[in-house]
């Protein structure tokens, strides 16, 4: 038993050392690539001449002119399959419009084309501006966020009241990053990405050697292997040590390994995504919650209302984890104000959950505190799941979450100590 304990300690040390060595060696290349990938272009309505630049409606049976060089896809794909359209568009630049009904279809087309000729577009429709009552500042922050957090190559500025002002503000903010239309996709990195699968393997085996069975999935699907490996890594990163700062460090190193292991062309440019996003969000908090319920099963009736409360809260938590989550008008204004101050907005769930991660002493309800607090850690991991986000932005956002969350913890701890000592 003592030998096994020493072996686990050594494997955990190998996780820490290999993570740090690989990051020192290869992280600078990713940072330099991200800087190049933040170059973007402006697109205006009058530039779509339907000759060289074509806006192609996927719900139409109309064909694509041979003379078209740039084809922007939009609408529901009614008459086309990805395979057919990919064949027709091979050799042409394809525009993929974010949050449009064509988005997933267009990404499949770009992947099937296989020539790397595509770019992503962010735009805000005039009817959306009117419906959401967006003002100039809100639009500026939205376009800025598209470049800063998602490295979008093209900003399509529609003919709206603040068009010229928004273009001027974005040009001044990003200075030398504006290039002629269209800006091209971010190139893949040259370092061996598979090497970043080694640290998480050390990590999961250091907790339980039986977890090595996950390697079997590699023979069937590389994507699912990576998803399961890193999702399982979030669980073991938490359980492998009792020291809370080491738990944070484990998740941080694991997150960076994920981001660099998926730094291939199609992940960097948002065509492919990490498949384990939802699993990694629920595995650790769910495990801690169910483990706590099991350990307190003799008093299960006392915790029944918690189960009824946890299901809708968990559903809301998962839905809000992506870009599709709904945002209230007031929340949007608060977000924009925070971005104006800090450049990048820390995640609210981290600011709320980190204090519970650090706090202790909830007695029989401590497993609830632990489960809720662990959401902060998987939220940090989730930040790095968005591979198209420049890695320095993800690091800075995670740093803000830890620092602000810890500051809130110290504030709450002081208040609780005063309340307890005053009685």
């Amino acid at each position: 038993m003592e030998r096994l304990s020493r072996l686990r300690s050594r494997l955990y040390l190998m996780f820490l050392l290999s993570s740090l060595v690989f990051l020192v060696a290869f992280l600078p290349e990713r940072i330099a690539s991200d800087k190049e990938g933040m170059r973007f272009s402006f697109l205006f309505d009058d530039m779509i001449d339907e000759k060289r630049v074509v806006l192609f409606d996927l719900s139409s049976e109309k064909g694509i002119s041979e003379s078209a060089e740039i084809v922007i896809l939009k609408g529901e794909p009614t008459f086309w399959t990805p395979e057919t359209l990919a064949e027709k568009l091979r050799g042409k630049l394809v525009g993929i419009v974010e949050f449009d009904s064509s988005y997933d279809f267009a990404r499949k087309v770009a992947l099937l084309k296989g020539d790397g000729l595509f770019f992503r577009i962010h735009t805000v429709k005039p009817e959306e501006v009117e419906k959401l009552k967006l003002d100039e500042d809100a639009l500026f922050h939205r376009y800025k966020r598209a470049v800063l957090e998602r490295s979008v190559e093209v900003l399509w500025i529609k003919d709206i009241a603040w068009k010229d002002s928004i273009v001027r503000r974005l040009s001044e903010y990003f200075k030398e990053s504006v290039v002629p239309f269209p800006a091209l996709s971010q190139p893949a990195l040259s370092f061996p990405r598979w090497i970043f699968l080694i640290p998480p393997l050390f990590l999961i085996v250091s907790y339980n050697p039986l977890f090595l069975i996950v390697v079997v999935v590699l023979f069937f699907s590389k994507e699912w292997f990576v998803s399961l490996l890193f999702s399982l890594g979030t669980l073991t990163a938490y359980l492998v040590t009792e020291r809370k700062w080491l738990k944070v460090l484990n998740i941080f190193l694991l997150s960076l390994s994920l981001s660099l292991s998926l730094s291939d062309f199609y992940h960097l440019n948002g065509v492919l995504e990490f498949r384990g996003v939802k699993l990694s969000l629920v595995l650790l908090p769910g495990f801690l919650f169910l483990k706590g319920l099991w350990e307190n099963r003799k008093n299960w009736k006392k915790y029944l209302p918690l189960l009824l409360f946890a299901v809708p809260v968990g559903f809301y938590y998962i839905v809000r984890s992506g870009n599709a989550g709904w945002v209230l008008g007031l929340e949007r204004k608060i977000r924009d104000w925070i971005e104006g101050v800090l450049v990048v907005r820390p995640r609210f769930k981290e600011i709320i959950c980190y204090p519970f991660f650090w706090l202790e002493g909830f007695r029989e309800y401590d497993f609830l505190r632990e489960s809720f607090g662990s959401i902060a850690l998987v939220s940090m991991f989730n930040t790095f799941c968005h591979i198209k986000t420049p890695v320095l932005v993800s690091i800075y956002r995670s740093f803000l979450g830890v620092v602000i969350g810890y500051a809130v913890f110290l504030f709450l701890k002081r208040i609780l100590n005063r309340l307890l000592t005053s009685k």
Side-chain angles (χ1 to χ4, degrees):
M1 198 69 181
E2 187 177 340
R3 281 186 180 179
L4 182 60
S5 179
R6 284 202 302 267
L7 176 61
R8 287 176 173 174
S9 297
R10 288 171 183 171
L11 287 169
Y12 176 61
L13 184 61
M14 289 299 295
F15 158 70
L16 294 175
L17 290 176
S18 61
S19 297
L20 292 172
V21 169
F22 295 160
L23 288 173
V24 169
F26 301 115
L27 184 58
E29 184 180 342
R30 171 64 192 271
I31 292 172
S33 176
D34 287 341
K35 186 177 180 181
E36 290 295 318
M38 286 184 65
R39 298 184 184 277
F40 69 96
S41 306
F42 289 113
L43 172 65
F44 306 112
D45 291 342
D46 57 7
M47 294 169 65
I48 303 174
D49 57 10
E50 299 300 337
K51 295 178 181 178
R52 175 177 174 267
V53 182
V54 174
L55 182 61
F56 184 69
D57 190 344
L58 292 169
S59 64
S60 172
E61 291 185 86
K62 185 181 177 182
I64 301 169
S65 170
E66 290 293 330
S67 61
E69 298 177 17
I70 301 170
V71 180
I72 300 169
L73 303 180
K74 73 162 188 172
E76 291 284 350
T78 307
F79 298 101
W80 298 90
T81 64
E83 294 78 9
T84 304
L85 197 57
E87 186 64 34
K88 285 185 173 293
L89 294 177
R90 192 165 286 121
K92 300 180 186 293
L93 275 166
V94 170
I96 304 171
V97 182
E98 285 190 321
F99 311 117
D100 187 75
S101 56
S102 64
Y103 183 61
D104 289 334
F105 182 89
R107 290 195 300 171
K108 289 179 183 178
V109 171
L111 186 63
L112 291 169
K113 265 168 32 88
D115 54 13
L117 297 175
F118 65 88
F119 54 87
R120 289 169 298 131
I121 302 172
H122 183 76
T123 190
V124 185
K125 299 175 182 178
E127 52 267 31
E128 187 178 357
V129 174
E130 185 176 345
K131 180 181 178 180
L132 298 178
K133 298 179 180 179
L134 301 176
D135 56 18
E136 181 183 331
D137 284 336
L139 287 168
F140 168 74
H141 282 290
R142 183 157 164 178
Y143 281 116
K144 182 190 76 172
R145 198 178 304 126
V147 176
L148 191 63
E149 298 185 14
R150 299 194 300 280
S151 298
V152 167
E153 291 83 25
V154 173
L155 299 181
W156 183 357
I157 314 293
K158 300 277 191 173
D159 289 330
I160 53 178
W162 311 288
K163 172 183 170 182
D164 294 336
S165 179
I166 290 171
V167 170
R168 175 183 54 77
R169 290 176 66 181
L170 289 167
S171 300
E172 290 174 355
Y173 187 86
F174 290 104
K175 295 180 181 177
E176 298 178 1
S177 295
V178 182
V179 297
F181 174 79
L184 299 180
S185 302
Q186 182 176 348
L189 302 178
S190 60
F191 60 73
R193 295 181 299 276
W194 61 267
I195 204 170
F196 285 95
L197 301 179
I198 295 175
L201 283 171
F202 279 135
L203 178 63
I204 64 171
V205 176
S206 72
Y207 180 72
N208 190 331
L210 293 177
F211 284 171
L212 194 59
I213 197 172
V214 74
V215 175
V216 174
V217 181
L218 180 61
F219 296 99
F220 301 96
S221 170
K222 180 183 175 183
E223 284 186 85
W224 280 113
F225 167 68
V226 172
S227 298
L228 290 174
L229 173 63
F230 281 96
S231 296
L232 192 59
T234 61
L235 183 65
T236 55
Y238 187 91
L239 299 176
V240 76
T241 179
E242 293 298 320
R243 298 178 182 178
K244 293 193 174 184
W245 278 112
L246 272 182
K247 293 178 189 287
V248 175
L249 178 63
N250 291 345
I251 293 288
F252 178 68
L253 293 176
L254 183 74
S255 303
L256 281 170
S257 290
L258 170 70
S259 184
L260 292 173
S261 72
L262 294 180
S263 294
D264 60 90
F265 179 73
Y266 289 105
H267 279 95
L268 280 175
N269 291 289
V271 170
L272 292 177
E273 296 178 345
F274 174 61
R275 287 190 173 185
V277 171
K278 303 299 182 185
L279 177 61
S280 63
L281 282 171
V282 300
L283 183 60
L284 176 58
F287 173 81
L288 294 174
F289 181 75
L290 294 175
K291 176 174 172 284
L293 284 179
W294 176 254
E295 291 173 349
N296 294 275
R297 59 189 180 277
K298 291 182 179 180
N299 300 315
W300 67 272
K301 290 183 179 180
K302 181 170 65 173
Y303 299 105
L304 188 59
L306 296 174
L307 285 172
L308 299 176
F309 175 74
V311 172
V313 169
F315 174 76
Y316 179 77
Y317 162 62
I318 293 173
V319 169
R320 285 297 306 270
S321 66
N323 289 324
W326 55 86
V327 180
L328 298 175
L330 177 60
E331 182 181 350
R332 185 174 58 247
K333 288 183 180 296
I334 294 172
R335 285 182 172 194
D336 291 345
W337 179 81
I338 292 174
E339 284 180 11
V341 175
L342 299 175
V343 181
V344 174
R345 174 183 58 83
R347 294 191 162 193
F348 284 143
K349 63 172 74 79
E350 292 178 25
I351 296 172
I352 294 170
C353 295
Y354 266 124
F356 288 89
F357 171 72
W358 299 109
L359 284 169
E360 292 179 348
F362 284 67
R363 297 180 182 178
E364 68 267 28
Y365 292 97
D366 194 59
F367 75 94
L368 295 174
R369 187 273 317 161
E370 188 177 18
S371 176
F372 189 70
S374 71
I375 292 175
L377 298 182
V378 294
S379 176
M380 178 202 291
F381 181 80
N382 179 256
T383 294
F384 289 86
C385 290
H386 303 281
I387 312 300
K388 57 185 175 291
T389 301
V391 70
L392 277 183
V393 172
S394 295
I395 291 172
Y396 176 59
R397 167 173 275 169
S398 299
F399 171 78
L400 288 175
V402 172
V403 171
I404 298 174
Y406 192 71
V408 173
F409 154 70
L410 292 176
F411 176 74
L412 291 176
K413 184 180 179 182
R414 190 170 182 177
I415 290 177
L416 289 173
N417 286 339
R418 286 187 176 181
L419 289 174
L420 292 173
T421 54
S422 64
K423 290 184 178 181

